[in-house]
Amino acid sequence: MEARDIAASGPAGIPRRLEAPSPRYGEKAIYGLLALCAALSVVTTTAIVISLLGPAFGFFQEVSPGDFFLKSEWAPAQELFGVLPLVLGTLSVVLWGLVFAIPIGLGAAIYLSEYAQPRVRKVVKPVLEVLAGIPTVAIGFFGVSLVTPLLQDIWPGEFIGGPPGFFNAGAAALCVGLMIVPIISSISDDAMRSVPGGLREGAYALGASKMRVALRVVFPAALSGTVASTVLAFSRAVGETMIVILVAGNTPNLTLNPAEAIQAMTAYIGVTATGDIATGTIEYDTVFAVGALLFVITLVANLISIRLVRKYREVYE
Amino acid sequence: VSNEFEPRTERTRLAVAGARSATTAALNDRPRGEAVRSRIFQALIMLAVSIALIGLAALLIDAFVEGEGRLSLNLFTEPTSRDADGAGFRTAILGSLWLIAGVIVLVVPLGIGAALYLEEYANRERWWNRLIELNIQNLAGVPSIVYGILGLAFIVRGPLSLGFVIAAGSMTLALLVLPTVIIAAREAIRAVPPSIREGSMALGATQWQTIRHQVMPAAVPGILTGVILAISRAFGEAAPLLLLGAATFITADPNDPFSGDFTALPVLIFEEAKQAQPELRELAAAGIIVMLAVLLAMNSFAIWLRNRYEQKW
């Protein structure tokens, strides 16, 4: 029975419903206002999609999608619109960055959740998260002033090409990797800590060593969270702009070799659309076409990671 | 309570010791390789943590070593200039302050409003509320440069047509950090136990009165922490501003949110870090030190706020 159906006796014994004495228009107005605030997020997404799709649509009327996705030369000034070098440039930085960041991030997560004393953990975790809060311009500067020279000094040999020049994907990958380590370690650590203690104790009771418990029990149980953190880190790395502009250079280059200078998708947008670009030109439209591609890639990655995070939350929380 | 067995005679003492050593010997009878591998594994994960921490330390030390020579009050009082030796960051710092002021004005009501709607009013059974939630989670992961494109197409040009002004930058940065604020505010609101709301409602308060007088006061510290963290992100963000006309060599102070020629601290640092001139690189490093100091102050304040006002229910 609903509360409003309970009849109360009025003064004259006439049943009166338990309702507010006024219609409370103010409450409704507030509800509407708050709902509008929340709806703004949908408006934002719609606006992003419209702002990208409109010009991108115009672009694809001039340039065929086949040329855009399959041709391997990117030089808008010479009307060459094959986006592959930009995609591969981004991929080079992101892949090498993940190669660096995944072992370190996961190692740190296992250390924080399984090995560290609570006292140590309380200090190390926030300090690692400081890394995530450092403006990427500062990380880019660090790349140019320290990582690149260091990489040039210790470059292993000629067989993979290089030594890297002033601009190179490898140093950018190390910097991007440093930026995403806390994303991987923090979310994976949360996932590992939400694995019930009973699973660990069961394994210990069967005589497993600490390493076995960490690698064979906790790690698989937290796998969806770990994968989610990696996918999220991938999405962040793909969208990173300042580090790749400063460290990886601005030469479209169809290669995954970390010693070479490349141009990432974000870097192309950041360098080309610096305010004074004229609307309506095909060059202006390329920015939106590349932006749309970037948006789609990160959208897919984000949705996957949101889904995976939900999954591990559902299982243990 | 001690579980140590106290032997009474020499014979039982010996028997207990023998039994204990036999048991531990049997239990420790792991393959030798396992113990070694375990040690190596532990060393590896500690190495991983150390690499991350060393990276952070190297970053900070590098900025300090490179920029230390330029640290002086002139950084705050001098505008940018072609002459690297006399240049400072005054116009850029003022530009950043104007930008951030705009972000605060926009993000606080919008972020708290959306969080209140989602936590206090929204029925999760409805598809549109789930859509809003998913949408916010996704927006949190959209690259900042895409927000720059949005700002360029919708705010600078297009429907709003504000032009390349500080307000356009503020609005774009506000949209960029809004998901962060909403997510943090929701957590703070969720941490207020339902019994507080029920008690208030039982005394006849309306839903809004309950939120206004019971939920909000309890959630404010958590919300503020989230707002500060979001603002520190907006403060350090350069990528979207590149698209929104944040020019570099601005010698006149920005005076209002609609002044056209502006620059921001991270943008100016970026422009200087790009140059090959050692003087400009040094200046960029000094700018980074200033920026990191501001961020450190803001984050410490957020942590202090959280510890000072955190409520345990």
Side-chain angles (χ1 to χ4, degrees), chain A residues 112-134:
Chain A
L112 286 175
S113 99
E114 305 299 312
Y115 283 81
Q117 304 286 325
R119 219 158 28 96
V120 178
R121 190 192 135 78
K122 241 181 143 173
V123 178
V124 172
K125 198 175 182 190
V127 170
L128 273 185
E129 278 165 3
V130 166
L131 257 180
I134 288 187

Side-chain angles (χ1 to χ4, degrees), chain A residues 27 42 45 145 209 212 302, chain B residues 34 62 135 138 157 206 208:
Chain A
E27 291 281 321
V42 180
T45 305
S145 87
S209 68
R212 275 181 184 262
N302 291 338
Chain B
E34 179 80 5
D62 175 58
N135 195 19
N138 175 54
R157 295 177 173 142
T206 66
W208 175 247

Side-chain angles (χ1 to χ4, degrees), chain B residues 81-250:
Chain B
S81 128
R82 299 260 173 219
D83 160 35
D85 289 327
F89 287 98
R90 190 179 75 192
T91 43
I93 291 171
L94 285 173
S96 276
L97 289 179
W98 276 110
L99 279 169
I100 292 307
V103 171
I104 296 174
V105 167
L106 291 167
V107 114
V108 169
L110 289 173
I112 297 177
L116 281 177
Y117 172 78
L118 288 171
E119 284 300 317
E120 301 289 329
Y121 290 92
N123 177 358
R124 289 214 54 200
E125 304 284 300
R126 305 278 184 215
W127 63 267
W128 60 83
N129 291 327
R130 287 207 305 272
L131 176 78
I132 290 177
E133 227 167 275
L134 181 70
N135 195 19
I136 290 171
Q137 283 176 310
N138 175 54
L139 279 178
V142 170
S144 57
I145 193 113
V146 172
Y147 280 97
I149 294 181
L150 168 72
L152 179 63
F154 256 73
I155 300 172
V156 170
R157 295 177 173 142
L160 292 183
S161 286
L162 291 182
F164 292 110
V165 295
I166 289 181
S170 290
M171 289 170 78
T172 310
L173 289 177
L175 289 178
L176 172 70
V177 299
L178 197 54
T180 322
V181 175
I182 295 176
I183 291 169
R186 284 187 67 181
E187 259 161 43
I189 292 166
R190 208 177 309 146
V192 181
S195 57
I196 302 288
R197 297 181 183 82
E198 285 151 13
S200 166
M201 300 272 227
L203 291 171
T206 66
Q207 193 163 12
W208 175 247
Q209 286 166 341
T210 303
I211 291 170
R212 169 79 188 71
H213 297 288
Q214 308 302 329
V215 179
M216 282 299 289
V220 156
I223 295 176
L224 262 185
T225 310
V227 169
I228 294 172
L229 292 181
I231 288 167
S232 51
R233 174 154 181 227
F235 181 72
E237 194 64 68
L241 295 177
L242 294 181
L243 274 66
L244 301 175
T248 326
F249 287 107
I250 301 296

Side-chain angles (χ1 to χ4, degrees), chain B residues 224-283:
Chain B
L224 262 185
T225 310
V227 169
I228 294 172
L229 292 181
I231 288 167
S232 51
R233 174 154 181 227
F235 181 72
E237 194 64 68
L241 295 177
L242 294 181
L243 274 66
L244 301 175
T248 326
F249 287 107
I250 301 296
T251 46
D253 293 345
N255 287 321
D256 62 280
F258 292 96
S259 54
D261 289 330
F262 73 101
T263 186
L265 189 53
V267 177
L268 187 56
I269 291 171
F270 164 67
E271 294 291 343
E272 286 165 355
K274 259 195 335 194
Q275 313 293 332
Q277 246 175 296
E279 296 84 25
L280 283 176
R281 294 267 301 277
E282 203 185 353
L283 195 59

Side-chain angles (χ1 to χ4, degrees), chain A residues 24 27 30-31 34-35 37-48 50-52 100 103-112 115 124 127-128 130-131 133-139 141-142 144-146 166 178 181 207-212 214-215 232 235-236 238-242 245-246 266 269-271 273-279 284 287-288 291-292 294-295 298-299 302-303 306 310, chain B residues 30 34 37-38 41-42 44-46 48-49 51-53 55-56 58-60 62-63 66 109-114 116-118 121-122 124 128 130-147 149-150 152-154 157 164 175 178 182 204 206-209 211 232-233 235-239 242-245 266-267 269-270 273-274 281-282 284-285 288 291-292 295 299:
Chain A
R24 299 269 182 219
E27 291 281 321
I30 286 166
Y31 173 81
L34 297 182
C37 291
L40 180 71
S41 76
V42 180
V43 176
T44 308
T45 305
T46 318
I48 288 177
I50 293 175
S51 67
L52 289 175
F100 171 72
I104 291 185
L106 287 187
I110 292 177
Y111 173 75
L112 286 175
Y115 283 81
V124 172
V127 170
L128 273 185
V130 166
L131 257 180
I134 288 187
T136 52
V137 176
I139 304 182
F141 178 82
F142 171 62
V144 179
S145 87
L146 195 74
F166 183 69
L178 195 62
V181 159
S209 68
K210 201 160 193 181
M211 175 184 80
R212 275 181 184 262
L215 286 180
L232 195 65
S235 155
R236 280 287 157 76
V238 169
E240 174 43 40
T241 309
M242 304 318 287
I245 290 190
L246 278 172
T266 49
I269 298 172
V271 172
T274 43
D276 48 1
I277 182 170
T279 24
Y284 182 78
V287 168
F288 293 84
L294 188 67
F295 179 70
T298 53
L299 177 73
N302 291 338
L303 291 180
I306 290 169
R310 245 182 228 169
Chain B
R30 288 201 191 111
E34 179 80 5
R37 259 181 283 153
S38 221
F41 178 70
Q42 186 165 0
L44 280 179
I45 58 171
M46 291 184 78
V49 176
I51 290 177
L53 294 178
L56 174 64
L59 192 155
L60 299 177
D62 175 58
E66 293 233 2
L110 289 173
I112 297 177
L116 281 177
Y117 172 78
L118 288 171
Y121 290 92
R124 289 214 54 200
W128 60 83
R130 287 207 305 272
L131 176 78
I132 290 177
E133 227 167 275
L134 181 70
N135 195 19
I136 290 171
Q137 283 176 310
N138 175 54
L139 279 178
V142 170
S144 57
I145 193 113
V146 172
Y147 280 97
I149 294 181
L150 168 72
L152 179 63
F154 256 73
R157 295 177 173 142
F164 292 110
L175 289 178
L178 197 54
I182 295 176
T206 66
Q207 193 163 12
W208 175 247
Q209 286 166 341
I211 291 170
S232 51
R233 174 154 181 227
F235 181 72
E237 194 64 68
L242 294 181
L243 274 66
L244 301 175
V267 177
I269 291 171
F270 164 67
K274 259 195 335 194
R281 294 267 301 277
E282 203 185 353
I288 288 174
M291 184 167 68
L292 291 179
L295 288 177
N299 287 343

